[in-house]
Amino acid sequence: MTNLEKIFSADGALSHSIDGYQPRAAQTEMANAVALAIDDNHNLIAEAGTGTGKTFAYLIPAILSEKKVIISTGTKNLQDQLFNNDVPIIRKALNVPFSAALLKGRSNYLCKYRLRDALDYIRGYNKEEAVALSKIKLWAKKTKIGDIAEVADIAEGDPVWQHATSTQDNCLGQECPDYDDCFLVKARRRAQECDVLVINHHLLCADWSIKDSGFGELLPEAEVIIIDEAHQLADTASNFLGISIGSKKLLDLASDTLQEYFKDATDMPVLRSASEDLESEVKNLRLAFGVEQKRGDWQDIANNPKILASLNKVKTQLQCLTNQLELASVKTKGLESCFKRADELMQQLTVIMDDKSGQWIRWYETYKKSFTLSRTPLDIASEFRNFMQYYQASWIFTSATLSVANTFDYFANSLGLSNTVSKSWDSPFDYPNQSLFYHPKGLPLPNSANFVADIIDFALPVLQASRGRAFFLFTSHRALKQAADILADQLDYPLLIQGSQPKTQLLAEFKQLGNAVLLGTSSFWEGIDVRGEALSCVIIDKLPFASPGDPVLKARLDTLSQQGRNAFFEHQLPVAIIALRQGIGRLIRDVNDRGVLMICDRRLLKSSYGQLFLDSIPAMKRTRNIDEVYDFFQNQPTE
């Protein structure tokens, strides 16, 4: 028996540190595969089904290797869980010395300089912002780490945080009077010095994009890099390799310039008017796009004289502000920083507006009160290969959903991976006995006018049988809204709707109620862990194909087609299959969970590609008979 096998055995180190620990063969096998990849310095794609225990399966051999390890997670929540929960358990179990550090992006750390500036600046704060800033001031006096996640009663997404954190644009760097006491600088120093560093995909890709631009690196040299939730990496990387300018960046620049103006440049009234004029033109551009929230191809802008004229006014006004800031930059470091930001934004806006290379996708997106203009690469595979070669480390890619119909071709090709060992371990859960897959007869066509109302007629008996306790997942916000309006009058159980309150509060209420039906879109298809009877049913409206009208998807599909390749089977289908697997993964989260899966898309059985979806679904018992759904829930033990 190897050392790893002893650790994962029934009476091994983990069993003494975790109550109710049960050894899982797949977990031990994955740990051995990770250890071999690290020892032999090769790359590994490791797919591990839900419940395998993949976090410990990669953490333990990585720590025991005594090499410099970077672990990148899909979200900040997973990052916190891994660092604050999993690492301490392993430290206790293994009883071996190692240092670990947590590193997040700049905007997650308190900036003392920005907070002090904000507290001295009275223009424009409403009562709620003033109260929040007072709370942040009190917390700032006692925090040791400066991670804004410590402030529980102010959401991380609250706009007030922009007054107490920095961005790459407005950070003064070594010129800052608080540099020696900067929380971000301290976090980066810990990152350089530790044995195990826990980051997230956004930070990993930010380091990649900075390195690509010829600047320094945020992350230390590593011998082992582990990518958890690796199915998310390509999309995150694509965003970072591109350029995106939003109304928020432009308005923040105008606001920060006004703040510096009132402090140190009131003798330059043209600077103030240039800032205010930029604010006005940015807001006018949002109005020019129209009320509708949408994503569109750049051609929409080029063909719309009103939008194009408004965009050119923004560009002209940004240049005017840049010119004024250049004159004012000699006064203070704050004004110099604003000038550098304005100059960079001007360059980026020019690049986006003038690009004709054909190597990039140009598109826009509008929100309720804002917009973004973006330039995204058509392909990241070759760039990611270069990034991997820079580190010369063992790369471990892991997730519950990396394969499509038992092959890893799509995932490997999306990141340009070659000469990589691929292994898969099924979930230890007993899907044939713990779950039932219901696909009723007579479902409507997905593009029919009354699709949502019709599938609700099929879903209501299932929701009655499950006594609520369900996620009803949709592929669009429009369908979710239609379903919410219909179910409001027909459901006997509490109805929770995505967007009605923050996601964490919605989930907490769902668990507390114990019989609710939660309607959600993409953000509830993955990364959600609800164990126990509160979630006993997952209903999915359609196979999750991305909208063919999405400008980024359309450009990539067109490129594949021009190369003589089958864009549908090489891209659209694999992405949809992986998304469906993630949605299904919400149902069974524990060995004691039981539940029904219902998919309301007749294409599963009526299309030529439906079998590929079915081949990617766990080995559940299947039925088309509602009576078997009733029997399943009637036989379910209740408290």
Side-chain angles (χ1 to χ4, degrees), residues 539-551:
I539 302 174
I540 293 173
D541 71 334
K542 293 182 183 180
L543 299 178
F545 286 106
S547 169
D550 178 87

Side-chain angles (χ1 to χ4, degrees), residues 346-549:
M346 189 67 209
Q347 292 179 40
Q348 291 177 343
L349 184 57
T350 300
V351 165
I352 293 175
M353 291 178 66
D354 296 347
D355 181 72
K356 303 290 191 302
S357 67
Q359 299 299 310
W360 301 84
I361 306 161
R362 293 189 296 161
W363 54 284
Y364 70 91
E365 185 163 11
T366 58
Y367 308 91
K368 190 173 182 180
K369 296 182 179 180
S370 61
F371 64 84
T372 54
L373 309 172
S374 302
R375 190 185 78 154
T376 302
L378 271 169
D379 180 49
I380 67 160
S382 60
E383 294 292 337
F384 191 76
R385 270 198 304 270
N386 293 336
F387 182 52
M388 289 178 65
Q389 290 169 1
Y390 178 91
Y391 272 109
Q392 289 295 308
S394 297
W395 288 74
I396 315 294
F397 302 91
T398 185
S399 169
T401 55
L402 295 176
S403 66
V404 175
N406 301 313
T407 72
F408 295 93
D409 292 350
Y410 171 74
F411 174 75
N413 291 338
S414 70
L415 293 175
L417 306 181
S418 58
N419 300 320
T420 301
V421 176
S422 302
K423 292 184 177 292
S424 182
W425 295 272
D426 291 335
S427 168
F429 299 150
D430 184 4
Y431 279 100
N433 290 309
Q434 288 182 251
S435 59
L436 178 68
F437 175 22
Y438 174 52
H439 185 63
K441 298 178 181 179
L443 287 166
L445 290 168
N447 59 355
S448 63
N450 297 317
F451 177 79
V452 174
D454 290 342
I455 65 168
I456 285 176
D457 288 340
F458 285 94
L460 278 170
V462 178
L463 294 173
Q464 292 295 338
S466 66
R467 305 188 302 281
R469 305 184 299 161
F471 276 7
F472 202 154
L473 301 178
F474 296 87
T475 53
S476 73
H477 289 277
R478 178 182 296 179
L480 182 149
K481 187 177 184 305
Q482 291 176 4
D485 292 341
I486 297 169
L487 287 170
D489 299 324
Q490 298 192 42
L491 201 61
D492 297 329
Y493 302 99
L495 185 64
L496 304 178
I497 303 166
Q498 178 182 333
S500 61
Q501 54 183 307
K503 183 177 175 180
T504 52
Q505 294 180 22
L506 207 62
L507 278 172
E509 186 174 355
F510 180 84
K511 294 175 184 178
Q512 183 179 11
L513 287 168
N515 67 340
V517 175
L518 189 151
L519 309 188
T521 56
S522 55
S523 63
F524 281 88
W525 283 64
E526 61 178 290
I528 304 295
D529 190 11
V530 180
R531 304 185 183 202
E533 291 190 3
L535 179 56
S536 297
C537 178
V538 169
I539 302 174
I540 293 173
D541 71 334
K542 293 182 183 180
L543 299 178
F545 286 106
S547 169

Side-chain angles (χ1 to χ4, degrees), residues 241-262:
L241 284 182
I243 298 173
S244 184
I245 297 178
S247 52
K248 184 182 184 303
K249 278 189 176 181
L250 295 167
L251 292 174
D252 284 352
L253 171 66
S255 175
D256 289 347
T257 300
L258 283 171
Q259 189 165 328
E260 296 297 330
Y261 163 80
F262 284 113

Side-chain angles (χ1 to χ4, degrees), residues 220-394:
E221 296 296 327
E223 299 168 277
V224 180
I225 300 177
I226 299 171
I227 310 295
D228 201 347
E229 300 301 321
H231 65 281
Q232 299 176 0
L233 182 61
D235 280 345
T236 304
S238 182
N239 292 334
F240 270 89
L241 284 182
I243 298 173
S244 184
I245 297 178
S247 52
K248 184 182 184 303
K249 278 189 176 181
L250 295 167
L251 292 174
D252 284 352
L253 171 66
S255 175
D256 289 347
T257 300
L258 283 171
Q259 189 165 328
E260 296 297 330
Y261 163 80
F262 284 113
K263 281 170 49 183
D264 299 304
T266 51
D267 60 334
M268 298 182 66
V270 180
L271 179 62
R272 176 178 180 176
S273 60
S275 300
E276 292 173 343
D277 288 346
L278 178 61
E279 284 184 342
S280 178
E281 294 299 349
V282 169
K283 291 173 182 177
N284 287 340
L285 176 54
R286 175 60 191 92
L287 292 173
F289 276 111
V291 176
E292 186 181 358
Q293 299 178 47
K294 59 183 177 179
R295 285 163 65 106
D297 187 87
W298 193 264
Q299 207 60 38
D300 295 349
I301 296 176
N303 294 336
N304 189 313
K306 182 180 178 182
I307 298 175
L308 192 57
S310 187
L311 177 57
N312 280 318
K313 287 181 180 179
V314 168
K315 184 180 179 182
T316 299
Q317 201 53 54
L318 177 59
Q319 184 64 68
C320 178
L321 179 58
T322 304
N323 294 341
Q324 291 301 313
L325 280 167
E326 185 174 16
L327 297 174
S329 62
V330 296
K331 287 179 173 288
T332 66
K333 288 297 179 183
L335 285 164
E336 182 183 357
S337 174
C338 285
F339 164 62
K340 290 178 180 177
R341 289 164 59 189
D343 189 49
E344 183 177 357
L345 285 171
M346 189 67 209
Q347 292 179 40
Q348 291 177 343
L349 184 57
T350 300
V351 165
I352 293 175
M353 291 178 66
D354 296 347
D355 181 72
K356 303 290 191 302
S357 67
Q359 299 299 310
W360 301 84
I361 306 161
R362 293 189 296 161
W363 54 284
Y364 70 91
E365 185 163 11
T366 58
Y367 308 91
K368 190 173 182 180
K369 296 182 179 180
S370 61
F371 64 84
T372 54
L373 309 172
S374 302
R375 190 185 78 154
T376 302
L378 271 169
D379 180 49
I380 67 160
S382 60
E383 294 292 337
F384 191 76
R385 270 198 304 270
N386 293 336
F387 182 52
M388 289 178 65
Q389 290 169 1
Y390 178 91
Y391 272 109
Q392 289 295 308
S394 297

Side-chain angles (χ1 to χ4, degrees), residues 577-591:
I577 289 173
I578 289 173
L580 181 67
R581 293 183 67 198
Q582 281 291 329
I584 293 171
R586 299 317 99 212
L587 183 62
I588 304 297
R589 307 297 299 176
D590 188 81
V591 291

